[in-house]
């Protein structure tokens, strides 16, 4: 669960740091790429905040483990649904569209070979700020 959330944050920051290269590449639709990166960032931050709230509101270690098992199960449902789409469980039309999505390659500005240090540092900074904010909310609330 946390791995997917961090991966979404890193991909979003990787795109934001490479936005100049994406802007100069006229073949890419920058608006859709920006929206995708922004939604990845929002989803990743929401997952990080939810994780910290679960940790702070759980009374025992058993509650923490059970909460993470439940979240891990729920976060894996979209992967299972997509797998079922690709094998044709929901019909031929959905299978064709799912296979197009599966075979579609992402642009280089999203999947570059090097992850910039500033992107990873920004993720660490955001996680630290999130911990401070959620901790202060839990203490004051």
């Amino acid at each position: 669960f946390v791995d997917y959330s961090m991966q979404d944050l890193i991909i979003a920051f990787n795109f934001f740091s490479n936005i100049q290269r994406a802007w100069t590449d006229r073949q890419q639709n920058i608006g859709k790429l920006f929206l995708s990166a922004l939604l990845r960032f929002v989803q990743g931050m929401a997952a990080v905040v939810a994780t910290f709230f679960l940790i702070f509101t759980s009374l025992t270690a058993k509650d923490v483990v059970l909460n993470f098992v439940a979240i891990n199960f729920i976060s894996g449902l979209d992967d299972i649904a997509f797998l079922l789409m690709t094998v044709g469980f929901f019909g031929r039309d959905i299978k064709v569209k799912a296979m197009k999505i599966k075979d579609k390659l992402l642009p280089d500005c999203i999947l570059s070979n090097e992850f910039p240090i500033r992107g990873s540092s920004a993720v660490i900074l955001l996680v630290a700020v999130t911990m401070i904010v959620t901790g202060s909310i839990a203490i004051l609330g």
Side-chain angles (χ1 to χ4, degrees):
F1 167 69
V2 176
D3 183 40
Y4 290 125
S5 301
M6 286 296 135
Q7 186 179 18
D8 282 341
L9 286 174
I10 289 172
I11 288 173
F13 277 111
N14 192 31
F15 171 74
F16 291 140
S17 65
N18 292 327
I19 199 163
Q20 179 71 28
R21 186 168 40 146
W23 188 264
T24 58
D25 188 4
R26 298 287 182 209
Q27 295 175 341
Q28 304 300 332
N29 188 339
I30 193 74
K32 290 180 182 178
L33 293 174
F34 183 79
L35 179 64
S36 171
L38 182 66
L39 291 176
R40 281 181 182 265
F41 173 77
V42 168
Q43 186 276 332
M45 284 306 297
V48 169
V49 169
T51 300
F52 286 115
F53 274 122
L54 282 175
I55 290 172
F56 286 129
T57 59
S58 298
L59 298 176
T60 64
K62 180 181 174 183
D63 290 340
V64 172
V65 171
L66 290 176
N67 287 334
F68 277 105
V69 169
I71 286 181
N72 195 20
F73 173 76
I74 291 170
S75 66
L77 289 178
D78 64 334
D79 294 334
I80 294 169
F82 188 75
L83 178 68
L84 290 174
M85 288 180 208
T86 59
V87 297
F89 185 78
F90 298 111
R92 179 178 296 241
D93 292 338
I94 293 178
K95 178 182 179 180
V96 169
K97 290 183 181 188
M99 292 306 288
K100 279 185 180 179
I101 292 170
K102 184 177 179 181
D103 294 336
K104 181 90 172 160
L105 295 176
L106 291 176
D108 290 335
C109 59
I110 294 215
L111 295 177
S112 66
N113 289 336
E114 73 280 348
F115 281 117
I117 298 299
R118 62 180 178 258
S120 300
S121 300
V123 170
I124 292 170
L125 176 66
L126 280 172
V127 170
V129 168
T130 305
M131 287 176 62
I132 292 168
V133 168
T134 54
S136 62
I137 289 171
I139 290 171
L140 297 175

